[in-house]
Amino acid sequence: MLSSRFSKAVELAIKAHQGQVRKGTTIPYIAHPLAVASLVLEYGGNEDQVIAAVLHDAIEDGGEAYAPRIEAAFGSEVLALVQACSDGTAEGKAKATTPAAKRTDWRRRKEAYLQRLETEDPEALLVTACDKLHNARAIVADLEVVGPAVFDRFTAGREGTLWYYGQAESVLRRRKCPVADPLGEVLIRMRQLAHGWDEFDAVTEFSAALNPNQRKKFRAVLGGLQSASQQVLMEGSRALGTASSLQQRLMAACQHLDSAQERPVKCARKPS
């Protein structure tokens, strides 16, 4: 059960995000932290984690002054969770004023954030994973209505955004976070809508024909390979050779699953 601390956290978050809206929409920003808090509850988070979810963007979007306010109201553990979910502060991000500077600053912050996720406390990892899941779902929802132009809203554009979410999903999967699977499924759809790749239609049909256990394994392999492919494609001259290797592995995995489906099932003999 949530106590009155949760209500106080919502009040503070409303102040931190007063007048803010979601990128490219008229949706009040507070809808996002509330949705993240709901996901944290769904995945079994405790009250401190839920409060941190409500306040996870308070420092990043509201400013450094919210750090002592969060600590005073909810304690050092909640503040630590909020800081773990933040990749900067409102003041820090405001220092980059040109598009080029903003892209450079964005990349630096995201790379440092991803590195931190590798060793982040599991409690903080759940909160930040739910944040990524809700954001990814929102991007997909907008892609289905607006199309790839949605990425114009983001500092890093289409390729940078896909890279970031792919890397986050890979870290969460390595850390065995329960949110990795649903995030991976959303990212498959995000990449499909972002690029309009026909291959994804065939993959989706193939996946639908598998049993639940096969489908889970196949999507995990596909999500991991696509994340890796996206990364190497952005690294330069070595991308083509590495991506080709990854594609061959993906084709081999598909062929293996095909042959597994076609292999007859041996029935046990009836007792005489």
Side-chain angles (χ1 to χ4, degrees):
M1 295 292 291
L2 297 177
S3 69
S4 59
R5 295 172 72 230
F6 175 73
S7 300
K8 292 178 181 178
V10 173
E11 291 177 3
L12 187 58
I14 290 173
K15 292 179 182 178
H17 299 294
Q18 190 68 44
Q20 297 174 4
V21 295
R22 295 283 280 166
K23 291 181 186 295
T25 75
T26 58
I27 300 171
Y29 194 86
I30 190 62
H32 170 61
L34 289 176
V36 176
S38 177
L39 286 171
V40 170
L41 278 172
E42 288 182 29
Y43 283 94
N46 59 37
E47 186 173 57
D48 277 356
Q49 288 172 294
V50 175
I51 290 172
V54 172
L55 295 167
H56 76 274
D57 277 335
I59 298 172
E60 196 169 323
D61 294 340
E64 297 170 359
Y66 278 92
R69 297 178 68 176
I70 291 171
E71 185 173 26
F74 307 105
S76 58
E77 292 185 4
V78 170
L79 175 61
L81 289 171
V82 171
Q83 290 174 325
C85 297
S86 305
D87 63 29
T89 65
E91 291 84 354
K93 290 192 290 185
K95 293 178 181 178
T97 56
T98 67
K102 288 179 180 180
R103 285 192 295 271
T104 299
D105 176 66
W106 181 92
R107 184 74 181 212
R108 176 190 60 78
R109 287 188 290 105
K110 299 307 180 186
E111 287 180 345
Y113 179 74
L114 290 168
Q115 187 173 4
R116 278 176 24 221
L117 288 186
E118 297 282 5
T119 56
E120 199 62 79
D121 183 275
E123 288 195 349
L125 198 68
L126 176 63
V127 179
T128 200
C130 289
D131 172 35
K132 299 300 170 286
L133 178 57
H134 182 256
N135 276 333
R137 285 174 173 173
I139 292 172
V140 166
D142 287 344
L143 279 168
E144 289 176 337
V145 176
V146 180
V150 164
F151 292 108
D152 294 340
R153 305 171 183 173
F154 299 97
T155 301
R158 181 181 66 182
E159 301 308 320
T161 301
L162 293 175
W163 165 82
Y164 176 56
Y165 280 95
Q167 290 300 299
E169 186 248 345
S170 295
V171 175
L172 294 174
R173 196 170 296 284
R174 286 195 294 273
R175 296 290 310 277
K176 302 187 185 305
C177 178
V179 184
D181 282 344
L183 179 59
E185 292 183 3
V186 174
L187 293 187
I188 289 174
R189 181 61 175 161
M190 186 188 296
R191 295 184 186 104
Q192 178 188 20
L193 293 168
H195 292 288
W197 291 339
D198 294 336
E199 302 94 286
F200 277 101
D201 293 333
V203 169
T204 300
E205 291 178 8
F206 176 79
S207 178
L210 303 177
N211 65 47
N213 188 49
Q214 289 175 322
R215 189 179 305 121
K216 182 177 180 181
K217 291 180 180 178
F218 178 69
R219 289 188 177 182
V221 171
L222 180 61
L225 289 173
Q226 290 295 343
S227 296
S229 296
Q230 186 62 44
Q231 180 182 12
V232 297
L233 285 170
M234 297 182 65
E235 286 180 348
S237 61
R238 294 176 298 175
L240 288 177
T242 307
S244 176
S245 175
L246 291 172
Q247 288 173 348
Q248 290 175 3
R249 288 168 58 192
L250 178 57
M251 290 175 64
C254 291
Q255 291 170 356
H256 176 74
L257 287 171
D258 276 334
S259 62
Q261 280 191 304
E262 294 171 0
R263 191 179 302 131
V265 178
K266 294 182 178 180
C267 298
R269 293 184 177 179
K270 293 183 179 180
S272 57

